Amino acid sequence: MNELLSLRSMKATIDRLFLTGDVSNEELKALMDLRYNERLKEAAVARRKEHYGNAIYVRGLIEFSNHCRNNCFYCGIRAAQKGLRRYQLGQSDILNCCNEGYKLGLRTFVLQSGEDNEYSDETLCNIIYSIKSSHPDCAVTLSIGEKPRASYQAYFNAGAERYLLRHETASPGHYALLHPASMSLENRKRCLWDLKDIGYQVGSGFMVGSPFQTLDNLVSDLRFLQELQPDMIGIGPFIPARGTPFAHMPAGSLTRTLNLISMLRLMFQYSLIPSTTSLGSISPQGRLLGLEAGANVLMPNLSPASVRTLYSLYDHKASLGAESASGLDILKKEVSGIGYEVVVDRGDVKPQKEAN
Ligand code: SAM
């Protein structure tokens, strides 16, 4: 594909993506496949700078339970995973994490877990309400999977204002290869539309290089995001997890993930795009490379050190040093070393001045 487009037409494609926020499906595939992506990165960084300057937003990630009722074939905390010590943090543990994070300067807390129905809606609402009461200047983001609309509404009423739910893949056939028959893309999408309708700032996204993924699948992912117009877009490479059906599948490519981050920045100019933990786990420089490709959010881990390694979505998941909130100073130095600045701010999405 790459060879098919001359250097000159590739340059023209990037310029058009910069100017109009869209190009054809064939051109999108060619960009994903680029091996030398300097011009694409430069365009993405220029666009990010225009809207967000040098600011990098940080969110404290609290992985509060690794119990999960689902059996996604790729995930290391799936219900059928054997030999994994399961944990659940209580309300006071979670609040302590937030208090710790607040002292470090974090103003957004992301509560993530497997789909753990042992936390009732009432318990979750109490947790959200108590975080917002102690820290009214902070945003609470949830990432706890698929729920009925009434539950999403209850969390929103309790004070949660953002929700992260990756669609994982927008191609029904591919979705069925990654998930058991009990799960459906239809319900995943229903959740995303409900969340939007309720008024959440919504984040979605997908893994890059998940098993059986084709370039056409990735084009469908980008087209679905254009329909959804999420405020946040999280992507990261698939990384195999031992003990799962995909334990022996190859990991996703760093370069393709970086190309896609740049493309997302150009297609969704105002979106908040994290440089994810999985990017930092496949390469020691991954998180910084993500920022240099156009991402503008980092999510250091605020979970207690005693449980951090148990939230093992994939092998060799980074959780120490600059990945952890306690290493925030290291992170700030690394970020300023490449010319950006970690800001203490809720970091809400900027309103769009024009349709993109
Ligand atoms: N249960 C919630 C949900 O379904 O959205 C949140 C937790 S879920 C584990 C968070 C994300 O981890 C998923 O959306 C998936 O994209 C990512 N993930 C899971 N296994 C992974 C793997 N092996 N490699 C990379 N990312 C993975």
Side-chain angles (χ1 to χ4, degrees), residues 139-294:
V140 172
T141 305
L142 298 177
S143 175
I144 56 177
E146 296 174 30
K147 300 271 182 181
R149 181 179 173 121
S151 303
Y152 289 147
Q153 185 69 59
Y155 313 146
F156 188 75
N157 295 347
E161 50 244 288
R162 303 183 189 146
Y163 205 104
L164 306 178
L165 186 79
R166 290 182 176 181
H167 65 275
E168 311 296 1
T169 171
S171 313
H174 187 219
Y175 190 93
L177 293 171
L178 302 182
H179 302 94
S182 55
M183 298 177 73
S184 76
L185 178 58
E186 201 187 349
N187 193 51
R188 197 102 184 146
K189 286 188 176 176
R190 188 272 306 159
C191 291
L192 286 163
W193 291 114
D194 278 349
L195 289 161
K196 256 202 120 157
D197 199 42
I198 289 168
Y200 282 94
Q201 289 178 39
V202 171
S204 197
F206 52 88
M207 286 177 286
V208 179
S210 57
F212 316 114
Q213 185 181 65
T214 62
L215 291 181
D216 284 316
N217 294 146
L218 286 167
V219 169
S220 301
D221 290 325
L222 297 176
R223 298 295 178 212
F224 171 66
L225 291 174
Q226 281 178 321
E227 238 181 274
L228 183 70
Q229 288 294 321
D231 303 291
M232 302 161 282
I233 307 175
I235 66 167
F238 160 75
I239 304 179
R242 76 182 70 115
T244 64
F246 294 158
H248 302 293
M249 295 288 191
S253 135
L254 172 67
T255 305
R256 181 166 292 167
T257 308
L258 296 173
N259 290 346
L260 276 155
I261 288 178
S262 300
M263 293 164 68
L264 288 169
R265 170 59 62 212
L266 296 174
M267 296 175 79
F268 307 92
Q269 314 185 15
Y270 290 91
S271 59
L272 292 159
I273 303 179
S275 190
T276 54
T277 308
S278 56
L279 202 49
S281 300
I282 53 162
S283 155
Q285 291 306 308
R287 277 194 155 191
L288 296 181
L289 292 172
L291 300 182
E292 289 180 319

Side-chain angles (χ1 to χ4, degrees), residues 13-171:
T13 300
I14 295 170
D15 289 348
R16 202 150 23 81
L17 187 58
F18 182 83
L19 285 175
T20 67
D22 206 356
V23 289
S24 72
N25 290 354
E26 287 310 308
E27 288 171 307
L28 288 176
K29 289 195 265 183
L31 293 176
M32 290 173 202
D33 240 8
L34 281 177
R35 266 181 287 161
Y36 304 103
N37 49 12
E38 283 313 309
R39 193 175 179 90
L40 181 62
K41 273 197 312 194
E42 275 166 24
V45 165
R47 192 53 97 202
R48 197 237 350 251
K49 205 174 179 115
E50 184 188 321
H51 298 309
Y52 289 102
N54 285 338
I56 301 299
Y57 301 107
V58 277
R59 283 78 163 90
L61 177 62
I62 304 164
E63 296 161 335
F64 67 92
S65 162
N66 68 353
H67 288 239
C68 191
R69 68 186 173 123
N70 288 331
N71 265 307
C72 307
F73 299 145
Y74 45 83
C75 184
I77 63 166
R78 63 201 298 269
Q81 184 75 332
K82 297 218 170 67
L84 172 64
R85 184 154 72 77
R86 303 281 175 171
Y87 72 92
Q88 292 169 314
L89 299 185
Q91 178 163 340
S92 61
D93 301 319
I94 297 174
L95 265 179
N96 285 340
C97 293
C98 295
N99 294 341
E100 210 43 52
Y102 193 88
K103 280 191 238 151
L104 292 168
L106 298 168
R107 295 295 177 268
T108 290
F109 302 114
V110 181
L111 270 50
Q112 191 179 91
S113 69
E115 283 197 17
D116 182 352
N117 281 343
E118 283 178 46
Y119 291 82
S120 65
D121 284 351
E122 193 187 350
T123 305
L124 288 166
C125 287
N126 280 335
I127 293 171
I128 296 160
Y129 186 76
S130 59
I131 297 173
K132 291 294 289 187
S133 308
S134 313
H135 305 294
D137 53 337
C138 291
V140 172
T141 305
L142 298 177
S143 175
I144 56 177
E146 296 174 30
K147 300 271 182 181
R149 181 179 173 121
S151 303
Y152 289 147
Q153 185 69 59
Y155 313 146
F156 188 75
N157 295 347
E161 50 244 288
R162 303 183 189 146
Y163 205 104
L164 306 178
L165 186 79
R166 290 182 176 181
H167 65 275
E168 311 296 1
T169 171
S171 313

Side-chain angles (χ1 to χ4, degrees), residues 2-20:
N2 206 354
E3 281 82 27
L4 293 180
L5 287 175
S6 70
L7 205 59
R8 186 156 357 132
S9 69
M10 192 62 80
K11 214 166 130 253
T13 300
I14 295 170
D15 289 348
R16 202 150 23 81
L17 187 58
F18 182 83
L19 285 175
T20 67

